[in-house]
Amino acid sequence: MTTENRIPDLRNNTLTMAGKDGLLDLGCVFSERVIEITCFIPPMLSQEAFLQRKDEIVEWLNPSKGLCELILDTEPGRVYYARLQSGVSFERMVRLSSTFELTFFCPDPFGYATEDEVFLITSEGEHTATRVLGNLESYPIYRVNGTFESGAGNNITITTNGEELQISNVNLKPTETFVVDTSKMTAWIEDEEGNKVQNGLPYIADLNFPTLKVGNNLISVAVTNAEFTKLEIQAKSRWR
């Protein structure tokens, strides 16, 4: 890696006001991340082998595959989701070897844990989930299992650091899982094979999507007129 951008580019939000000098500052957010890498192909034994190696690299970099996992040995335990941003030219160094530059585009600027933290809760009451990976809040995925019948007053309330996520009036079979993806702000019901069978958003009150902070998180589970089996929380731990 030739350039190490530890903080992604920032996108400033401003507003121009008539008759006022300068701009009104509305804060900023992180923009995309660009990762630049210098690569080297060591000397090959033949022109055919050299050409084959370049063809393999070009196919691996094919941007039509969309976003793929990018893992750098200089950042162990982290993965970025990237695709090639610009063309690639091979520059010959000595006979049958060359160097080339790669520029990767990451629309999501954060690095995620390659082996994510997962917290399992199997009883009602208060629990503590301690995140040790990452350096900023994360948007977890909640997976709820149990037996729930449709009806007023039948619900499960998951409170994370004081923020409530309530699932109510849903018909959930023992073989099904109610999934809440807080990053995408959506929810669905999936069968035992992982197939989505129903939209889950209508069963979430207030459309509240709690986050997890680094360190200790207080998780409370309360169930009314339903049978709760387990709650699995995938932390989606990340670094800026």
Side-chain angles (χ1 to χ4, degrees), residues 9 110 177 188 195:
D9 290 336
F110 305 112
T177 303
W188 64 88
N195 301 312

Side-chain angles (χ1 to χ4, degrees), residues 31-128:
S31 188
E32 75 279 2
R33 181 188 293 270
V34 174
I35 298 177
E36 299 175 347
I37 299 175
T38 298
C39 302
F40 173 66
I41 302 178
M44 307 296 291
L45 295 177
S46 67
Q47 186 67 46
E48 290 77 11
F50 188 38
L51 179 61
Q52 180 181 356
R53 177 55 52 84
K54 288 188 287 186
D55 287 341
E56 291 170 350
I57 292 172
V58 170
E59 174 56 27
W60 175 71
L61 293 170
N62 187 355
S64 65
K65 297 178 181 178
L67 296 178
C68 297
E69 292 185 353
L70 176 62
I71 300 175
L72 310 170
D73 57 3
T74 55
E75 299 186 24
R78 304 184 192 183
V79 57
Y80 296 93
Y81 295 93
R83 62 172 171 80
L84 198 64
Q85 176 170 273
S86 57
V88 179
S89 298
F90 294 91
E91 182 176 344
R92 180 165 296 185
M93 296 293 294
V94 295
R95 186 175 182 272
L96 302 183
S97 71
S98 66
T99 63
F100 57 98
E101 307 289 331
L102 295 180
T103 302
F104 289 103
F105 169 73
C106 307
D108 183 340
F110 305 112
Y112 291 85
T114 53
E115 295 185 8
D116 202 7
E117 298 171 292
V118 177
F119 307 104
L120 182 63
I121 296 174
T122 57
S123 63
E124 297 182 53
E126 294 187 348
H127 308 267
T128 300

Side-chain angles (χ1 to χ4, degrees), residues 205-225:
D206 301 327
L207 295 181
N208 191 30
F209 299 96
T211 60
L212 292 179
K213 62 183 180 180
V214 181
N216 293 331
N217 295 269
L218 183 61
I219 312 293
S220 176
V221 177
V223 180
T224 304
N225 298 329

Side-chain angles (χ1 to χ4, degrees), residues 174-218:
T175 57
E176 295 177 330
T177 303
F178 194 97
V179 184
V180 179
D181 189 330
T182 62
S183 175
K184 298 179 180 178
M185 293 188 290
T186 188
W188 64 88
I189 298 174
E190 62 183 32
D191 60 21
E192 55 188 335
E193 297 179 353
N195 301 312
K196 295 182 181 180
V197 296
Q198 188 178 351
N199 178 23
L201 282 179
Y203 306 107
I204 296 181
D206 301 327
L207 295 181
N208 191 30
F209 299 96
T211 60
L212 292 179
K213 62 183 180 180
V214 181
N216 293 331
N217 295 269
L218 183 61

